Amino acid sequence: MVEFRIDRHSGVATYVQIVQQTKQALRLGLLQPGDRLPTAREVVEATAINPNTVLKAYRELEREGLVEARRGLGTFVRRSLGAAPADSPLRAELEEWAAKAVDAGLDRDDVAALFTAVLDKHFQGEGS
Amino acid sequence: MSDTALEATGLGKRFGRRGGWALRDAAFRLPAGRVCALVGPNGAGKSTLLALAAGLLPPTEGRLTVLGGTPAGARARVGFVAQDKPLYPQLTVAETLRMGADLNPERWDAATAEQVVAGGDLDPRSRIRSLSGGQRTRVALALALGKRPELLLLDEPMADLDPLARHELMGTLMAEAAQYGTTIVMSSHVVAELEDSCDHLLLAGSGRIRLAGEIDDLLAAHLRVSGAAESTDLSAHTVVESRVTGRQLTALIRPAGPLPGDLRTSVPSLEELVLAHLRNPGAPALSAAPAVTQGSAA
Amino acid sequence: MTAVTTPAAVRRPHLTRWVLRLHRPELVAWAGLVLLGAALLLWLGGPLTDAAADGWRQYNACDWSDKCSYDQDAILRYKDAYNYLTLPLAALPLLVGAWAGAALTGRELESGTAQLAWAQGVTPARWLATRLALPAVAVTAGTSLLVFLHHRAWSAARGRIGTAKSWWDPWTFHTNGPSTVALALAALAVGALAGLTLRRALPALAVSLVATAGVWGLAQWLMPHLWPAVTRVTGLKHGYDGLYSGITVDQGLVTRTGEHIPEPVCSAHTTEECLRMFEKRNAVGFFHTYHPYAHYGPLQLTTSALALALAGLFTVAAFLVLRRLTGALRPGKGATA
């Protein structure tokens, strides 16, 4: 079971935070196919956010085919997200690149800014 | 059941024959199942509107439909917590809840009421007069929630609560809304307090309803724009607020068509939207949810 | 969401139990007061009256002889006790009624607990009805008992004690019969009306006390005219008939033509001179219009009816004020505009 943590000051819409945190849990294997997501009641009781926000996030996840709502039972995970395994070649390349960045004298913030800019360029319209 | 929790047309309330209008020309529709923030500065008419909806005051003019009927007829299905959280001081907490059960024999939900009280570490045997403001709020909310209302009207419900209790009770309210589809209207003069919990907004200012509608729709209907003061012409749009700093013009507008390409635009936050409307009483009111008149209002 | 149950299965809210619970201290105090009053009235009508009557018998037996002793203390004790019991009995039910009416409605509106009740499953009309009916029952029961015991004590002294109050003494008149109960109910309704109008307990209490005094004064002023009085005509030599035996409505001279005129002021030193002066004004006799003791019952009943009618009027007014305050009193009645 996941527990959503809503950050009011992140500037990210609340339902997007729920979508992101669910995907994160899928990537990390915290949620497996067949698992039940917390009910809207459970989420709002803990977070004090609007129930319709939770339902909107769940609809979004359902639209992406990640979960399915079963009438009267709850919302269940359909498939997991292809996580980037720790030993994938992509990760090795990123490690290599990060080492170069350190050598070049970039600090953490510089790297993060650079990384975000590139992400923004390549993943336009995926909403964050 | 009606799909409309509250519907007002030309609603007005004046206290005394010569008194000022506490509320005037209010027209809005609140669909059932919404959690509505009733926001506005002190004296804007929030409490008056809630008391009208609770069937505790008769309107001076206009019409207010509550759950598809008259406010008085809907009283049994409406929960109301007044701003000063009145309770009988001589009763104990347990007696107050028993009274709620006795006075609402058809709908009383003892488990919910007791759960709300239990969350506050309250001794059921303590007298109401010995409670703190926050504890009284808790008992008043328990009384209103125990009634299992279809429409819950809360006047400044969170004012006396510490942040922890505020979060917990807001969670309880949201859970109620999630499970039973309860329509909730809560007033506050602090927008931020309600932003995450509400999906609908009624903005009151100087006795008028300035904004009414789904929060998402209201935000989508407005834009924050900034550009060069000299070359920017916004006359085609509804300008809620505009300010010139040096050569820079920033404005909150309701776009009525395409905007000049050299303007930088962003979606305003709810707080920006509310403050801009309160600072500019001359800006036209907006009701984003059209007041659908439905046949069941008889 | 749950469907609303059909009217056939309607369970009514138990409002009565809670009004009793909320005002338990006041009810206990009233019950205590009534019991104390009852005990004192039994004492007055029994031992005190007997002792004073003995004193009066001794006194009458003395026949102005020099050496005579009688129990003067017993006579004075009776007189004090009678006065100190009659006056509160005449006033207290009215005060209690006004207080109950004003405090129960005014305080609830002031603190917002009235709205709390209306926001529960209680209509404003039922709320007010209960808040009037329960004190009405309490005041009626307690006052009726006290009035009955007072009448009993007063009757026990009649003809046995020289200083016993006459039936027409204003305080005695009311405390001997149901008019005190009716006036207390009028005070209760006045209090409720003031409470609803002013919506604050203390001003409502002050206003209702003044208004209650007004109601009492009005009832006392109208009382002699609520039943036809008898008129006795007597010759000039005979003097007035029935004076100091009942409630005088009018008195004066009868002229040769049968006209009733007020008795002229006579500053002469002797009765003879005055009578001669009256004769000069064509007077042939005296008339005295009054209520004899036989009228006590009818006067009590008509005065009570008057007070009850006022109570009814004030109650209707209270409900009208409540309707203006809250809109429709019952669901389904009255429009929203």
Side-chain angles (χ1 to χ4, degrees):
Chain A
M1 185 76 78
V2 287
E3 209 172 282
F4 299 115
R5 289 189 351 269
I6 306 302
D7 181 2
R8 292 193 39 221
H9 305 288
S10 67
V12 178
T14 309
Y15 86 95
V16 176
Q17 292 188 40
I18 295 177
V19 170
Q20 285 177 340
Q21 286 175 30
T22 310
K23 287 180 175 176
Q24 185 78 1
L26 288 169
R27 280 193 192 93
L28 296 174
L30 296 174
L31 277 175
Q32 304 271 344
D35 283 357
R36 187 173 69 84
L37 291 184
T39 64
R41 187 196 152 98
E42 284 162 351
V43 176
V44 300
E45 192 154 24
T47 58
I49 60 169
N50 187 282
N52 293 326
T53 309
V54 183
L55 298 177
K56 187 175 175 185
Y58 283 11
R59 278 199 305 273
E60 177 72 20
L61 289 164
E62 195 170 13
R63 204 179 53 75
E64 293 183 26
L66 296 173
V67 303
E68 64 177 336
R70 293 187 204 146
R71 253 190 115 72
L73 294 173
T75 306
F76 293 85
V77 176
R78 276 184 68 188
R79 63 179 177 83
S80 65
L81 267 179
D87 54 353
S88 77
L90 280 173
R91 173 154 185 157
E93 281 175 45
L94 192 57
E95 294 269 5
E96 199 180 315
W97 179 84
K100 277 189 206 160
V102 173
D103 289 345
L106 274 64
D107 65 13
R108 188 193 173 90
D109 286 348
D110 298 331
V111 172
L114 209 56
F115 194 73
T116 309
V118 174
L119 278 183
D120 284 350
K121 188 177 166 195
H122 289 271
F123 295 91
Q124 267 178 7
E126 282 205 5
S128 77
Chain B
M1 190 191 302
S2 171
D3 60 351
T4 302
L6 282 178
E7 182 164 10
T9 38
L11 184 67
K13 176 67 190 178
R14 182 167 58 172
F15 290 100
R17 212 150 281 165
R18 285 152 187 278
W21 289 88
L23 189 71
R24 193 144 205 213
D25 290 335
F28 61 87
R29 188 179 90 91
L30 173 65
R34 298 297 192 281
V35 181
C36 175
L38 174 55
V39 175
N42 295 326
K46 303 191 295 290
S47 296
T48 302
L49 179 58
L50 289 174
L52 286 168
L56 300 178
L57 279 180
T60 309
E61 59 177 33
R63 188 180 167 78
L64 180 65
T65 311
V66 181
L67 299 172
T70 63
R75 257 190 223 123
R77 296 183 285 150
V78 174
F80 175 64
V81 175
Q83 188 168 0
D84 39 9
K85 321 291 180 292
L87 292 168
Y88 290 106
Q90 66 268 49
L91 297 185
T92 65
V93 173
E95 280 177 319
T96 303
L97 295 191
R98 264 210 305 285
M99 182 182 76
D102 270 354
L103 299 189
N104 302 285
E106 307 215 8
R107 344 178 38 101
W108 188 250
D109 176 0
T112 301
E114 275 156 24
Q115 188 201 325
V116 172
V117 167
D121 224 5
L122 272 175
D123 183 355
R125 287 164 303 176
S126 46
R127 301 234 171 243
I128 298 293
R129 73 162 60 86
S130 70
L131 301 185
S132 72
Q135 291 171 319
R136 283 172 61 108
T137 299
R138 197 175 272 280
V139 178
L141 276 174
L143 209 50
L145 279 170
K147 192 181 176 184
R148 178 61 58 66
E150 290 169 38
L151 170 64
L152 189 51
L153 305 164
L154 307 173
D155 199 352
E156 302 269 3
M158 303 297 162
D160 286 328
L161 297 173
D162 60 75
L164 202 65
R166 190 176 293 201
H167 189 268
E168 182 226 321
L169 283 174
M170 196 63 106
T172 305
L173 291 174
M174 292 306 110
E176 193 76 5
Q179 187 164 358
Y180 303 106
T182 314
T183 310
I184 302 179
V185 183
M186 46 188 148
S187 74
S188 174
H189 54 271
V190 189
V191 198
E193 192 174 278
L194 304 175
E195 197 164 4
D196 290 329
S197 306
C198 298
D199 49 18
H200 202 97
L201 175 75
L202 282 175
L203 175 64
S206 326
R208 311 264 165 168
I209 296 296
R210 307 290 313 285
L211 287 173
E214 305 293 307
I215 290 176
D216 286 348
D217 294 348
L218 289 172
L219 290 177
H222 292 83
L223 271 182
R224 269 204 94 71
V225 299
S226 54
E230 283 176 13
S231 58
T232 307
D233 178 19
L234 295 171
S235 56
H237 313 279
T238 304
V239 179
V240 176
E241 179 179 59
S242 85
R243 231 188 350 243
V244 176
T245 321
R247 294 201 188 83
Q248 163 111 343
L249 173 129
T250 52
L252 184 83
I253 64 167
R254 284 177 209 151
L259 288 163
D262 56 340
L263 284 178
R264 269 172 294 122
T265 62
S266 62
V267 178
S269 73
L270 183 60
E271 188 149 21
E272 283 174 326
L273 188 68
V274 163
L275 289 178
H277 279 84
L278 291 180
R279 274 195 298 261
N280 300 277
L286 177 66
S287 187
V292 180
T293 319
Q294 23 111 45
S296 66
Chain C
M1 203 168 301
T2 49
V4 181
T5 14
T6 48
V10 164
R11 281 181 290 160
R12 311 205 71 189
H14 307 289
L15 184 55
T16 310
R17 178 196 305 172
W18 286 97
V19 174
L20 290 176
R21 165 63 192 90
L22 288 169
H23 302 289
R24 201 160 57 193
E26 291 91 332
L27 268 173
V28 168
W30 172 239
L33 214 58
V34 168
L35 287 180
L36 177 70
L40 288 172
L41 284 170
L42 286 172
W43 180 54
L44 174 74
L48 272 189
T49 300
D50 291 344
D54 282 347
W56 276 99
R57 222 178 20 251
Q58 293 160 7
Y59 176 79
N60 290 335
C62 286
D63 204 17
W64 302 103
S65 64
D66 287 341
K67 285 185 287 167
C68 182
S69 73
Y70 63 98
D71 192 352
Q72 193 183 26
D73 287 348
I75 292 170
L76 293 178
R77 205 160 45 235
Y78 170 85
K79 199 177 150 202
D80 284 347
Y82 184 89
N83 286 337
Y84 290 138
L85 277 172
T86 302
L87 204 64
L89 178 53
L92 204 64
L94 279 65
L95 299 183
V96 167
W99 178 84
L104 286 190
T105 55
R107 194 171 61 192
E108 291 237 335
L109 284 164
E110 187 173 357
S111 66
T113 44
Q115 285 84 347
L116 175 76
W118 307 339
Q120 303 301 311
V122 181
T123 63
R126 282 237 315 139
W127 172 84
L128 180 58
T130 313
R131 246 139 252 272
L132 283 172
L134 290 182
V137 168
V139 165
T140 303
T143 311
S144 298
L145 174 69
L146 292 179
V147 159
F148 167 76
L149 290 176
H150 187 274
H151 191 115
R152 199 173 152 272
W154 176 82
S155 301
R158 210 168 165 235
R160 294 166 69 199
I161 295 175
T163 48
K165 288 282 182 190
S166 314
W167 69 272
W168 72 86
D169 165 66
W171 306 114
T172 302
F173 176 87
H174 289 291
T175 47
N176 268 352
S179 65
T180 297
V181 182
L183 284 165
L185 292 177
L188 174 67
V190 161
L193 178 60
L196 284 164
T197 311
L198 299 168
R199 278 171 269 163
R200 294 191 22 236
L202 274 180
L205 186 57
V207 166
S208 61
L209 286 181
V210 172
T212 299
V215 168
W216 191 91
L218 181 74
Q220 180 62 20
W221 180 61
L222 287 177
M223 181 263 287
H225 308 287
L226 296 178
W227 192 256
V230 293
T231 300
R232 291 277 145 74
V233 177
T234 42
L236 278 181
K237 293 269 163 359
H238 187 272
Y240 287 110
D241 185 43
L243 218 51
Y244 308 118
S245 72
I247 298 166
T248 295
V249 179
D250 198 6
Q251 64 184 94
L253 302 179
V254 184
T255 64
R256 230 180 290 279
T257 56
E259 201 187 347
H260 287 186
I261 57 168
E263 184 184 316
V265 178
C266 175
S267 50
H269 290 290
T270 65
T271 315
E272 294 303 313
E273 283 176 73
C274 283
L275 288 179
R276 268 201 297 283
M277 176 193 144
F278 294 164
E279 274 169 343
K280 271 187 208 144
R281 305 211 176 177
N282 291 328
V284 292
F286 292 107
F287 78 92
H288 181 212
T289 305
Y290 74 110
H291 291 289
Y293 181 56
H295 287 188
Y296 174 73
L299 281 176
Q300 260 292 333
L301 290 180
T302 50
T303 309
S304 302
L306 172 78
L308 286 179
L310 287 174
L313 274 179
F314 292 130
T315 305
V316 169
F319 275 96
L320 289 178
V321 170
L322 183 67
R323 193 174 67 182
R324 227 193 51 193
L325 214 61
T326 66
L329 290 179
R330 276 175 296 164
K333 291 254 178 170
T336 34

